[in-house]
Amino acid sequence: MDKSKRRTVIAGNWKMNQNTAETKGLLAEMQQTVKADNCDVVICTPFTSLSAALQATESSFINIGAQNVHFAKNGAYTGEISAQMLKELGVKYVITGHSERRQYFNETNETVNMRTRAAIDEGLIAIVCVGESLTEREQEITNEVVRLQTKIALSGFSVEDLKNVIIAYEPVWAIGTGRTASAEQAEEVCCEIRNLLSELYSQEVAQSVTIQYGGSMNAQNADELLSKPNVDGGLIGGASLKAADFAAIVAAASK
Ligand code: PGA
């Protein structure tokens, strides 16, 4: 397994945290403490903090991302934000299909596909989240669930489109719970996703796509998770709100 064929990406997902003042403060702290070597760093802020974040990270190694995007270019979609709007701000990345969006806002595999499509068409890099619930893991259908989510999310995507896609495997039971998947569990599912990409596209394409693990990744467990051959980075919630913890995770990814 040759990890050098793909980028390692550590992305922080701040969720509904950090107003503009807090955003500036934390990003300033991160620029002092985080040292990224051969690893891409992304911070996904709330929509309202994006401008402040972009300003605070101008000519910095920290890239800024949004946490969701609508599938339409514009129109009567009260409360939504389009890919064009994000692009205009200077945002580079966007998360799609996060399990909290699926769980609390009724997003489906189909709308995740449409949102990801809109992001890619606008030249954004999409971090597409997939992952099973605890019940699904207990029913031993993890691989089936994750395969289905990934397949539908990427439906209609060309090899060229895939260059702007990162997949984040995030078991729902590990998100915000402090209960991390073991490195073996993370590796097994990330490997399964790569096998699916190989079936859908080719071995070469499968080897080129960054697949992250997410779900209670922290300063203590990052090293082991990131040492796995198919785990190419992390999507980090809680630990991305503390500069020192996030710096330790980026250091682990930079090894
Ligand atoms: P967590 O969140 O690191 O707090 O578990 C991960 C995520 O939701 O992306």
Side-chain angles (χ1 to χ4, degrees):
M1 190 68 54
D2 186 2
K3 274 182 136 177
S4 68
K5 288 200 169 64
R6 45 191 184 260
R7 300 290 303 165
T8 299
V9 182
I10 297 294
N13 172 12
W14 284 1
K15 309 194 180 184
M16 199 170 72
N17 296 295
Q18 305 300 96
N19 62 25
T20 53
E22 291 162 344
T23 295
K24 286 181 205 162
L26 185 49
L27 285 172
E29 206 184 332
M30 282 184 172
Q31 284 171 85
Q32 296 297 317
T33 49
V34 177
K35 301 272 175 277
D37 185 18
N38 209 16
C39 149
D40 294 342
V41 177
V42 185
I43 293 290
C44 299
T45 78
F47 288 127
T48 48
S49 292
L50 286 172
S51 283
L54 286 159
Q55 238 174 34
T57 54
E58 233 179 333
S59 64
S60 146
F61 63 94
I62 299 181
N63 298 285
I64 298 302
Q67 297 171 15
N68 200 9
V69 61
H70 196 259
F71 42 79
K73 282 194 184 343
N74 51 47
Y77 298 101
T78 304
E80 293 286 334
I81 302 286
S82 74
Q84 192 272 333
M85 291 168 180
L86 295 176
K87 184 79 183 176
E88 185 203 20
L89 278 184
V91 167
K92 279 208 195 133
Y93 290 77
V94 64
I95 298 171
T96 59
H98 191 280
S99 67
E100 286 152 15
R101 299 295 319 171
R102 296 176 189 257
Q103 210 175 331
Y104 307 135
F105 303 99
N106 302 322
E107 289 195 19
T108 63
N109 288 331
E110 287 71 24
T111 60
V112 172
N113 170 262
M114 290 159 74
R115 288 174 194 264
T116 308
R117 173 86 266 160
I120 301 299
D121 286 350
E122 205 55 56
L124 300 170
I125 300 175
I127 302 176
V128 185
C129 304
V130 296
E132 81 288 2
S133 66
L134 184 57
T135 312
E136 289 161 344
R137 177 156 284 268
E138 285 168 354
Q139 290 168 336
E140 299 180 4
I141 55 169
T142 296
N143 287 347
E144 286 87 341
V145 169
V146 171
R147 272 178 163 263
L148 187 76
Q149 289 175 339
T150 310
K151 196 166 179 180
I152 298 177
L154 301 182
S155 167
F157 281 49
S158 66
V159 170
E160 201 54 32
D161 293 331
L162 265 259
K163 291 184 180 155
N164 285 327
V165 168
I166 292 171
I167 298 171
Y169 165 56
E170 297 207 302
V172 178
W173 47 272
I175 295 178
T177 57
R179 189 178 159 191
T180 322
S182 68
E184 289 67 33
Q185 287 171 323
E187 166 63 15
E188 188 190 339
V189 184
C190 289
C191 182
E192 189 66 27
I193 294 169
R194 206 174 302 285
N195 289 341
L196 173 69
L197 294 176
S198 182
E199 289 163 29
L200 294 175
Y201 297 91
S202 68
Q203 176 78 15
E204 196 191 340
V205 170
Q207 287 303 322
S208 69
V209 176
T210 295
I211 304 178
Q212 300 173 317
Y213 166 78
S216 299
M217 190 186 272
N218 58 38
Q220 285 73 44
N221 60 30
D223 221 2
E224 198 190 346
L225 286 161
L226 294 168
S227 70
K228 291 293 175 189
N230 282 291
V231 179
D232 309 317
L235 182 55
I236 294 112
S240 73
L241 291 167
K242 293 181 207 117
D245 291 10
F246 192 67
I249 296 171
V250 172
S254 300
K255 276 184 190 162

